[in-house]
Amino acid sequence: MKRLPVRLLLLAVLYIISMTVISCKHGCHGKTGTSSAGSRESHNMGLNCMNCHTAGGDGEGCFNIGGTAYSDDLKTTFPGCVIDLYTEAGAKGELVTSLVSDGKGNFYTGRAVNWGKGLYPTITSPAGNSENMLEPITNGGCNKCHGSTTDRIFIY
């Protein structure tokens, strides 16, 4: 009779472990990742990265910033663009973080970002053309708006 409680305890522990493993989605798990020039590992250009790449999401790793850069035709993704986030509009103030769009035009990072009172993005094409967002952003879900309620992020 004493073996029954030990077996039940063992079964309960195994059940809890298996449910934890089964219920885990990709989530963060310490993976952050940052886009890099030429890399072609990303996917789903133009979609909101934050739909999946958040804690509890289906994407591998969590992002604090994610989006897609396009050429001025708003259809062709634009690899090699630099996306900078400043504390003041017009590429002024402190540069908080800098990303480069990968070989598919996506840019992303899981690095911690201090959003403060908001940051101002600047995108620069490989040819040196720049565009500034004049309104501050307080989160990095770029494609949540761009390509949905506003034009895609584009540069000449």
Side-chain angles (χ1 to χ4, degrees), residues 6-76:
V6 172
R7 286 184 181 170
L8 284 175
L9 179 61
L10 181 58
L11 284 172
V13 169
L14 289 173
Y15 176 77
I16 290 169
I17 291 171
S18 66
M19 294 288 47
T20 302
V21 169
I22 290 170
S23 66
C24 281
K25 296 187 177 192
H26 290 286
C28 300
H29 304 294
K31 296 180 181 179
T32 57
T34 297
S35 56
S36 60
S39 172
R40 300 193 58 81
E41 294 180 24
S42 68
H43 57 262
N44 296 332
M45 290 73 69
L47 298 181
N48 182 7
C49 307
M50 304 315 194
N51 285 340
C52 297
H53 293 279
T54 57
D58 289 329
E60 187 175 322
C62 289
F63 298 161
N64 288 315
I65 301 170
T68 309
Y70 287 88
S71 64
D72 60 338
D73 68 5
L74 299 177
K75 295 176 184 169
T76 308

Side-chain angles (χ1 to χ4, degrees), residues 74 133 142-154:
L74 299 177
M133 191 167 165
C142 304
N143 291 349
K144 181 177 181 181
C145 296
H146 290 284
S148 179
T149 59
T150 62
D151 282 340
R152 289 177 162 171
I153 299 168
F154 69 94

Side-chain angles (χ1 to χ4, degrees), residues 94-105:
E94 179 186 344
L95 174 63
V96 173
T97 195
S98 184
L99 301 170
V100 63
S101 59
D102 66 12
K104 294 184 178 180

Side-chain angles (χ1 to χ4, degrees), residues 86-88 96 113-120 135-139:
Y86 291 93
T87 56
E88 296 177 30
V96 173
V113 176
N114 179 359
W115 295 99
K117 295 179 182 176
L119 298 176
Y120 298 84
E135 296 295 321
I137 60 171
T138 56
N139 73 70

